[in-house]
């Protein structure tokens, strides 16, 4: 048993922090043998409201403080573990810790996505660690593999399902042929979706995680505000029905790939071939497919959230720091961030699924085809689907060949103006 | 650009070594920036026959030697990269390198499976690295995640498809409803199977890899000779047909799991639910499912072999060593190997699929059921399948509830003796 101790200061005491504290206290011995140093909780900064939580009771009052000053004044805190989430004041806590020369471990995707490169630089200058394995994919090893195991590769692309809430909703919509609102309500009842589902449903959470992965994979800062982001709320049972018939599943994909000189970074619903790996990822599971020039396609999957999986990643980061300290090794140097350009969405080229409701009369399909053709969008297949006899409305489903986003957007504008087109039902990009 | 150099000595110059040399030479700059030290090839030990290979020509004669003495006498070799494969003389080369205080990187599954713990101990005593990421799963990060990212977990079990040749053969048998011999011949034509397929087809290669993963996962030495090993050559088109109808796929699984006080470690064909993750892994792909007590099920998959994926893993190991040297960090201490017992196969409990050919006459099924019952094996479902009218033979397919292997083996002996039973067609374990 090593005599040396690794002092930990936790900020936040939600379910994840509770899980981390539990693991540290219950597995201290084993962890110490693995790291060569004994991780010990010195202080936990909580909100007054947290004091009544079971995890607070379990820790005992003396370990807890509601006062920042008392927290920072606690002696022998080597590692600050920030687990409150959100941008502020989490960012300020991390900066204060780094300025004080303390190592930082966090699960905070928003702070790392928006400020990761700057914080890593700060940590590098002060010779301390900033680790955030838990920020993406819960207990799935992702950050470490990118920083180490795959580092030899030129990454061609990342294709990821990294938001459990939306994947659960899409999986249920596919199974139950149910509508979005209905399934969202169910997900909220079951606790799979927040009361305010905005961050998940609109793809913002996925964009944060993609920014973190893309920045590592391409060694070039990719900020969330550079990522095109489209949510899943416009998808209908008709789209799932059509996708099925065309041999696709619908997933909210986070995609970052090399394209020419730049990087494409986008989050949006996509048709993926129903026999593909990503199509098989259902429910709250996350999955990341990395296409490396040496490895080829490598995939990682598992539960992307939850107190226990996430605490596994947080404690693994703590142990890595502990091991380096015990070994007297300096932390990894800050990686020099290259500056690839992020390709504007207007220039992105994909295939499209297009669902329109048109007047059930001759010539409408021709009008539509002409309009698309005018924008250099060629049609791979077009089907006039079900018809509402009474309203004389026909559903027209079109799959295009690869086309530029900008052209498609212009075409959509014109399609909406066509007399024969009653409604542009939906448009979904196809990734295969 | 760091001035310091990391001297490499390669042993072997097959396709993998050729890939490693290529990556080191073509990406030296980038790798140097990542590791903080410049990896440089100092000498490559080859066989006379290798001298005419393209990868030998590419390196140039001065880097090559056919003489052990000249190789070991080469100054400034920090890392010996052993890539000849097989137990001997690879083991002796690794030992000599470690004795000389050199770090060792290898892709040699046989040496690590049989001697890994002893070699790690040797490396630990001499304060050098022994790294073998490439020994399992080609370019899929597996060893590092077990040693670091998942180390906080108690691993409940590992379920792996880790031999591409057999997975290719089984995938084709499932698709084409073809027989084993036929598909094997095809795989050999296509270069997916060796002229001598013994190591792959009989599960020996998979057992080596499982020994390596299980030893890491349970921190307890699991030797290949402790692993029950059954190949795929007895599987027939009938078994795939029956599996499909019962809702299963057939895979060669490498399984290591906690069971009571001990560890189960076995390689054999298994029925897996057709909608499970492992059932979706087809062709030459490998996949490893790890069930951790904190993470839950985490999966890794990708191409398990090939020069480029494997060289990605080898070079990543070289960079890790380079980084530690540049940082002045000692290598990770040897992990103290616990000593769990490996459960004898006779005591393993699984469900079974049983295919028999019986006389098409009353009472046969009753005889079979009674025999199984005598050994405490209860039947979940029994179907009298197709009948060969002429020969008056009926195929009987039985799925059992969980039963002890030993009981099943005894029951099989008695079944073979029953007058009504013409043949025990096959028996396959069920994992769900």
């Amino acid at each position: 048993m090593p005599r040396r101790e690794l002092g930990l200061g936790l900020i936040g005491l939600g379910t994840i922090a509770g899980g981390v504290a539990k693991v540290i206290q219950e597995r201290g011995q084993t962890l110490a043998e693995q790291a060569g140093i004994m991780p010990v909780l010195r202080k936990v900064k909580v909100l007054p409201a947290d004091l009544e939580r079971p995890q607070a009771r379990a820790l005992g009052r003396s370990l807890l403080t509601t006062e920042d000053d008392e927290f920072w004044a606690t002696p022998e805190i080597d590692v600050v573990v920030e687990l409150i989430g959100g941008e502020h004041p989490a960012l300020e806590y991390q900066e204060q810790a780094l300025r004080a020369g303390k190592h930082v471990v966090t699960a905070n995707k928003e702070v790392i996505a928006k400020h990761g490169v700057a914080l890593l630089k700060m940590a590098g200058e002060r010779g301390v660690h900033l680790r955030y394995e838990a920020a993406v994919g819960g207990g799935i090893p992702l950050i470490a593999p990118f920083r180490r195991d795959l580092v030899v590769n030129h990454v061609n692309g990342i294709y990821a399902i990294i938001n459990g809430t939306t994947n659960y909703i899409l999986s249920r919509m596919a199974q139950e042929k149910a509508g979005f609102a209905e399934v969202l309500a169910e997900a909220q009842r079951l606790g799979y979706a927040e009361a305010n589902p905005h961050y998940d449903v609109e793809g913002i959470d996925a964009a944060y995680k993609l920014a973190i992965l893309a920045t590592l994979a391409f060694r070039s800062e990719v900020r969330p505000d550079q990522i095109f982001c489209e949510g899943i709320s416009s998808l209908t049972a008709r789209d799932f029905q059509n996708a099925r018939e065309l041999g696709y599943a619908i997933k909210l994909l986070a995609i970052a790939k090399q394209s020419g000189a730049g990087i494409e970074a986008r989050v949006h619903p996509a048709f993926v071939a129903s026999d593909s790996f990503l199509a098989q990822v259902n429910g709250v599971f996350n999955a990341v497919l990395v296409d490396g020039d040496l490895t080829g396609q490598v995939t990682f999957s598992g539960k992307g959230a939850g107190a226990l999986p996430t605490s596994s990643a947080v404690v693994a980061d703590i142990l890595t720091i502990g091991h380096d300290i015990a070994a007297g090794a300096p932390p990894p140097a800050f990686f020099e961030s290259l500056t690839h350009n992020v390709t504007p969405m207007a220039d992105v080229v994909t295939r499209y699924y297009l669902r329109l409701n048109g007047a059930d009369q001759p010539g409408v399909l021709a009008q539509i085809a002409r309009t698309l053709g005018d924008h250099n969008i060629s049609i791979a297949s077009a089907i006039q689907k079900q018809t509402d006899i009474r309203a004389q409305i026909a559903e027209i489903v079109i799959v295009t060949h690869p086309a530029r986003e900008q052209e498609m957007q212009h075409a959509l504008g014109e399609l909406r103006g066509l007399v024969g087109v009653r409604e542009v039902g939906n448009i979904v990009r196809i990734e295969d």
Side-chain angles (χ1 to χ4, degrees), chain A residues 236-248 271 352-358 364-365 368 372 379-386 394-400 423 425-428 430:
Chain A
T236 69
R238 294 292 317 144
D239 297 315
F240 282 91
Q241 174 68 24
N242 292 330
R244 222 182 342 266
E245 292 173 8
L246 292 164
Y248 293 101
F271 278 28
Y352 296 87
Y353 150 89
L354 190 54
R355 174 172 57 82
L356 306 125
N357 293 324
V364 173
L365 192 52
I368 294 167
L372 291 172
I379 294 174
S381 72
I383 319 160
Q384 180 150 333
K385 306 257 322 198
Q386 68 180 24
E395 180 182 83
I396 298 165
V397 172
I398 291 171
V399 170
T400 76
E423 180 199 22
N426 206 353
I427 173 166
V428 183
I430 300 173

Side-chain angles (χ1 to χ4, degrees), chain A residues 209-230:
Chain A
K209 294 166 177 170
L210 182 64
I212 294 171
L213 293 182
T215 297
L216 280 179
F218 301 112
R219 285 172 219 109
S220 176
E221 182 168 23
V222 177
R223 295 189 318 275
D225 58 25
Q226 298 174 297
I227 296 176
F228 172 83
C229 199
E230 181 183 299

Side-chain angles (χ1 to χ4, degrees), chain A residues 137-366:
Chain A
I140 311 167
L142 286 172
I143 305 303
F146 270 110
R147 290 180 76 159
R148 185 204 51 246
D149 305 318
L150 301 175
V151 80
V152 183
N153 287 260
H154 297 306
V155 174
N156 299 318
I158 302 168
Y159 304 81
I161 295 171
I162 45 180
N163 179 269
T165 301
T166 46
N167 201 50
Y168 172 83
I169 291 172
L170 296 179
S171 302
R172 301 293 288 174
M173 287 179 74
Q175 286 159 14
E176 298 173 4
K177 304 172 170 54
F180 170 76
E182 176 186 341
V183 176
L184 171 59
E186 178 202 54
Q188 287 171 316
R189 271 199 310 280
L190 296 169
Y192 293 149
E194 308 279 340
N196 174 359
H198 178 70
Y199 272 77
D200 294 315
V201 168
E202 297 310 323
I204 299 162
D205 173 83
Y208 288 154
K209 294 166 177 170
L210 182 64
I212 294 171
L213 293 182
T215 297
L216 280 179
F218 301 112
R219 285 172 219 109
S220 176
E221 182 168 23
V222 177
R223 295 189 318 275
D225 58 25
Q226 298 174 297
I227 296 176
F228 172 83
C229 199
E230 181 183 299
I232 64 170
S233 50
S234 71
L235 293 167
T236 69
R238 294 292 317 144
D239 297 315
F240 282 91
Q241 174 68 24
N242 292 330
R244 222 182 342 266
E245 292 173 8
L246 292 164
Y248 293 101
I250 303 178
K251 295 295 183 183
L252 181 70
L253 286 196
I255 300 171
K257 60 194 253 195
Q258 293 276 7
S259 73
I263 297 169
E264 279 180 26
R266 45 198 169 95
V267 172
H268 55 70
F271 278 28
V272 296
S274 52
D275 62 352
S276 65
F277 166 73
L278 290 170
Q280 319 290 340
V281 178
N282 287 310
V284 295
F285 273 75
N286 283 203
V288 176
L289 186 157
V290 183
D291 181 8
D293 69 335
L294 298 178
T295 56
Q297 296 188 353
V298 177
T299 70
F300 305 81
S301 78
K303 292 204 187 99
L308 290 182
T310 308
S311 62
S312 168
V314 170
V315 177
D317 276 347
I318 292 171
L319 284 196
T320 302
I321 294 171
H323 180 272
D324 278 15
I325 290 177
F334 168 68
F335 70 95
E336 274 318 312
S337 178
L338 314 170
T339 49
H340 294 300
N341 295 323
V342 175
T343 311
M345 193 61 190
D347 297 333
V348 167
V349 173
T350 68
R351 296 171 62 218
Y352 296 87
Y353 150 89
L354 190 54
R355 174 172 57 82
L356 306 125
N357 293 324
D360 186 14
Q361 63 196 37
V364 173
L365 192 52

Side-chain angles (χ1 to χ4, degrees), chain A residues 66-146:
Chain A
T66 59
E67 302 305 320
D68 285 352
D69 296 348
E70 186 184 346
F71 178 80
W72 294 114
T74 307
E76 297 177 332
I77 289 181
D78 304 297
V79 184
V80 170
V81 185
E82 182 275 302
L83 296 170
I84 53 178
E87 187 172 8
H88 304 288
L91 171 62
E92 290 71 24
Y93 279 127
Q94 291 189 35
E95 289 171 336
Q96 183 165 357
L98 294 173
R99 272 196 304 272
K102 298 179 187 300
H103 306 280
V104 170
V105 172
T106 182
N108 192 317
K109 51 188 172 274
E110 184 170 0
V111 165
I112 297 301
K114 292 180 176 175
H115 311 283
V117 171
L119 290 168
L120 282 168
K121 201 160 185 311
M122 217 174 139
E125 288 160 1
R126 285 161 179 75
V128 293
H129 282 269
L130 168 65
R131 302 190 67 90
Y132 48 89
E133 180 65 66
V136 185
I140 311 167
L142 286 172
I143 305 303
F146 270 110

